Amino acid sequence: MYPEMQIEAFLARLASSDPEPGGGAAAALVAATGAALVSMVASLTIGKEKYAAVQAEMKQAQDRAQALVADLAGAIDRDAESFRKVVDAYRLPRGTDEEKASRKQAVAKALRDATVEPARVVRLCQEIATWSRVAMEKGNVQAVTDAAIAAVLADAAAQSAALNVKINLGPIGDPSFTEPLWADLQGIMDRIRTVRDEVLAGTYEKLG
Amino acid sequence: MYPEMQIEAFLARLASSDPEPGGGAAAALVAATGAALVSMVASLTIGKEKYAAVQAEMKQAQDRAQALVADLAGAIDRDAESFRKVVDAYRLPRGTDEEKASRKQAVAKALRDATVEPARVVRLCQEIATWSRVAMEKGNVQAVTDAAIAAVLADAAAQSAALNVKINLGPIGDPSFTEPLWADLQGIMDRIRTVRDEVLAGTYEKLG
């Protein structure tokens, strides 16, 4: 649905008071844009004699980056869908005690489910960051800033998706679920930030 | 042109070896996404009794953010256009000394012109960051992570656009042009980073 939408229509709907798409969909779009830039650098390196030594690695980067673009474009929809389910669960009737209990259970399940997609986006961003370093170090130097922008976007998308996990953790409550998940995501975000900083430093060095 | 393209078609073209769209267009798209999220938070605050005290400010945030979305969507095209002109200038004939001199002048002009749009995107990102703080502090608390994501994306888009300025500064050479421009952009990026950090800290505090 959203991947088939025109960019300006998507932006207009994001800007509106419609509950979705929201920040989670935006995070997936930004991550997809970062992955597309990794593919672009690889595509501009493949077939160039100057880069003969890295052709296999660049083909691998291109394949994986294009798979990430497709996956993350799908994540825009999946995130919006899981958010709709949270909204639906909150709208369940709460007249009787039975309804209240049933609604509470439905909300808890919908909130847990809504952490799955953004948590996945955070993990995929680590992969984008790793490939952006390969692209920066070994790819066509004329596109080195595109590799760096991929790293910057992977970091921003991970931070954004993590915020969308975090907002659900409070209402979920259950620390046996929320604490290990959040600790895991924080570790991944730290690693992405380190890679981003290294890719930026390497890029500015190449630019002189 | 690009704003009317479907998201998945835009991503596919970005991922290809086509010289444009590239990182500059990606930066403008990410900035537009951040501005759209500021508008979303304002839109979810307008008309709500709980937020009666901030209605005028939220209307102002919504108006300005929507103008920024339109401006930045246009910047996707303008950045691609200025990049095409750089490529065209490099392709000018360089057989005779006269042609060489004329080509050199055309390249220098195209490179300078190609810094205008990304430098503007960096400046607009500071405005997005400023409004994201208003949205985080005073907007609908249920959308607080959307305000934070706007700040994260403003920072990432500014970093990305600045890289697209930087890659042109080396070939331009002329320090009387390049040095004040780069110093100005670095100052703006530092200010955006400070706002981003404050907005993130404020958001995590609100989430508890």
Side-chain angles (χ1 to χ4, degrees):
Chain A
M1 174 192 170
Y2 288 123
E4 289 89 50
M5 205 181 252
Q6 287 183 329
I7 289 174
E8 59 187 3
F10 177 81
L11 291 171
R13 182 152 173 178
L14 187 62
S16 77
S17 62
D18 283 335
E20 46 88 9
L29 172 63
V30 172
T33 305
L37 286 169
V38 170
S39 165
M40 178 190 172
V41 179
S43 302
L44 288 166
T45 311
I46 291 167
K48 295 248 182 342
E49 210 174 330
K50 185 179 168 189
Y51 299 98
V54 296
Q55 291 297 304
E57 207 167 357
M58 286 297 138
K59 191 75 193 67
Q60 200 189 348
Q62 188 191 48
D63 285 348
R64 189 55 200 142
Q66 289 183 1
L68 284 163
V69 172
D71 191 339
L72 288 158
I76 304 174
D77 280 347
R78 292 191 298 273
D79 190 89
E81 172 69 16
S82 67
F83 187 74
R84 273 194 294 276
K85 288 186 178 167
V86 171
V87 173
D88 289 347
Y90 274 116
R91 283 177 182 159
L92 286 172
R94 43 178 167 172
T96 67
D97 281 355
E98 205 172 291
E99 281 175 349
K100 274 182 200 157
S102 156
R103 175 179 176 272
K104 194 178 167 183
Q105 209 168 18
V107 165
K109 184 181 183 315
L111 287 171
R112 276 187 194 228
D113 289 350
T115 64
V116 172
E117 207 53 50
R120 243 187 109 242
V121 170
V122 174
R123 293 188 181 97
L124 296 180
C125 284
Q126 187 176 6
E127 208 185 332
I128 299 168
T130 302
W131 283 113
S132 78
R133 177 153 56 189
V134 175
M136 183 277 288
E137 287 174 347
K138 303 182 183 175
N140 190 326
V141 72
Q142 286 177 13
V144 67
T145 53
D146 299 295
I149 294 170
V152 168
L153 298 188
D155 174 60
Q159 296 276 338
S160 301
L163 281 158
N164 260 53
V165 173
K166 181 70 177 173
I167 197 169
N168 291 330
L169 297 186
I172 290 173
D174 180 7
S176 74
F177 174 78
T178 63
E179 283 176 10
L181 173 58
W182 190 243
D184 182 35
L185 294 183
Q186 282 195 301
I188 297 170
M189 285 193 284
D190 287 347
R191 291 194 286 281
I192 295 173
R193 176 54 57 98
T194 302
V195 175
R196 186 202 85 130
D197 290 348
E198 288 168 4
V199 172
L200 274 178
T203 300
Y204 278 109
E205 205 181 300
K206 286 194 183 208
L207 293 178
Chain B
M1 173 193 171
Y2 287 124
E4 289 89 51
M5 205 179 252
Q6 287 183 330
I7 288 173
E8 59 187 3
F10 177 81
L11 291 171
R13 181 152 175 180
L14 187 62
S16 77
S17 63
D18 283 336
E20 46 88 9
L29 172 62
V30 172
T33 304
L37 286 169
V38 169
S39 165
M40 178 190 171
V41 180
S43 303
L44 288 166
T45 311
I46 291 168
K48 294 249 184 338
E49 210 174 331
K50 185 179 168 188
Y51 299 98
V54 297
Q55 291 297 303
E57 207 167 358
M58 286 297 137
K59 193 74 192 64
Q60 199 188 349
Q62 187 192 47
D63 285 349
R64 189 56 200 141
Q66 290 183 2
L68 284 163
V69 172
D71 190 339
L72 288 159
I76 305 174
D77 280 349
R78 292 191 298 273
D79 191 90
E81 172 69 16
S82 66
F83 187 75
R84 274 194 293 276
K85 287 185 178 169
V86 171
V87 174
D88 289 347
Y90 273 116
R91 282 175 182 162
L92 286 172
R94 43 179 167 173
T96 67
D97 282 355
E98 204 172 292
E99 281 175 349
K100 274 181 199 157
S102 157
R103 175 179 176 274
K104 193 179 167 182
Q105 209 168 18
V107 166
K109 183 181 182 315
L111 287 170
R112 275 187 194 229
D113 289 350
T115 64
V116 171
E117 207 52 51
R120 243 188 109 242
V121 170
V122 174
R123 293 189 182 97
L124 295 180
C125 284
Q126 187 176 6
E127 209 185 330
I128 299 167
T130 302
W131 283 113
S132 78
R133 176 155 55 189
V134 175
M136 182 277 288
E137 287 174 347
K138 303 181 183 175
N140 190 327
V141 71
Q142 286 177 12
V144 68
T145 54
D146 299 296
I149 294 170
V152 168
L153 298 187
D155 175 62
Q159 297 275 337
S160 301
L163 280 158
N164 260 54
V165 173
K166 181 71 176 174
I167 197 169
N168 291 329
L169 297 187
I172 289 173
D174 180 7
S176 73
F177 174 78
T178 62
E179 284 175 9
L181 173 59
W182 190 243
D184 181 36
L185 295 184
Q186 283 195 301
I188 296 170
M189 284 192 285
D190 286 347
R191 289 194 286 280
I192 294 173
R193 176 54 56 99
T194 302
V195 175
R196 187 202 84 128
D197 290 347
E198 288 168 3
V199 172
L200 275 177
T203 301
Y204 278 108
E205 205 182 301
K206 287 193 183 208
L207 293 177

